[in-house]
Amino acid sequence: VQLQASGGGLVQPGDSLRLSCAASGFTFDDYAIAWFRQAPGKEREFVTSIDWRGGGTYYADSVKGRFTISRDNAKNTVYLQMNSLKPEDTAVYYCAVARSSAATPNAERYRYWGQGTQVTVSS
C-alpha cells in the first residue's frame, strides 16, 4: 500500500491550498480515507474523513466551513481543499486509509498512513 500526499507549501493567511493523496496497492473505493495533521510539539489531530463513495464526511470543528474533502475513485485520489488558511493550520498533513468503508474521526480506525506534506501558513 502506498499513499502519496502532495500539494503542501508556504502560503499567507487567507490563502488556499489543495492537497492530494494518491493511493495504490489496495482497492481504493472499498475504504474510507481521512486527513490528519500534526503541528510541531503537538499531538496528531483529526482533520476530515470521507467514506468510500464520497457521500459521508466528518470535519473537525476547527476546519468546518473552510476545508472540503473529496475523492475521485477513478483516479484513486483524495483531495483536501483548504480555504481561508490560518497560521494555526500549520502542520504536516497526513492521509490515511480506514479499516472499513465508513468515515470516522477515530485514528485507531485507520491502518495505513502516508508520509505527509508540510503546510505552513505565515505572513
Side-chain angles (χ1 to χ4, degrees):
V1 172
Q2 288 192 331
L3 298 170
Q4 183 69 42
S6 62
L10 171 62
V11 297
Q12 294 187 341
D15 284 352
S16 297
L17 273 178
R18 188 195 197 200
L19 305 185
S20 299
C21 175
S24 61
F26 65 102
T27 306
F28 182 77
D29 53 5
D30 278 353
Y31 298 98
I33 307 290
W35 289 95
F36 290 79
R37 66 186 182 186
Q38 187 166 20
K42 295 187 177 181
E43 293 186 355
R44 181 181 60 194
E45 65 173 352
F46 170 78
V47 177
T48 179
S49 63
I50 189 166
D51 71 8
W52 67 283
R53 295 182 305 168
T57 57
Y58 280 96
Y59 290 94
D61 288 343
S62 58
V63 306
K64 276 181 184 175
R66 299 188 299 122
F67 291 11
T68 303
I69 189 171
S70 61
R71 66 189 295 161
D72 185 339
N73 286 347
K75 295 182 178 179
N76 284 11
T77 302
V78 171
Y79 304 99
L80 180 61
Q81 178 66 44
M82 305 187 296
N83 298 330
S84 302
L85 282 161
K86 304 175 180 179
E88 50 263 45
D89 295 318
T90 295
V92 177
Y93 284 71
Y94 301 90
C95 54
V97 182
R99 299 178 187 275
S100 74
S101 61
T104 172
N106 185 351
E108 294 182 357
R109 300 300 299 169
Y110 292 86
R111 60 174 173 170
Y112 298 119
W113 297 78
Q115 88 290 356
T117 185
Q118 176 71 47
V119 172
T120 303
V121 185
S122 175
S123 56

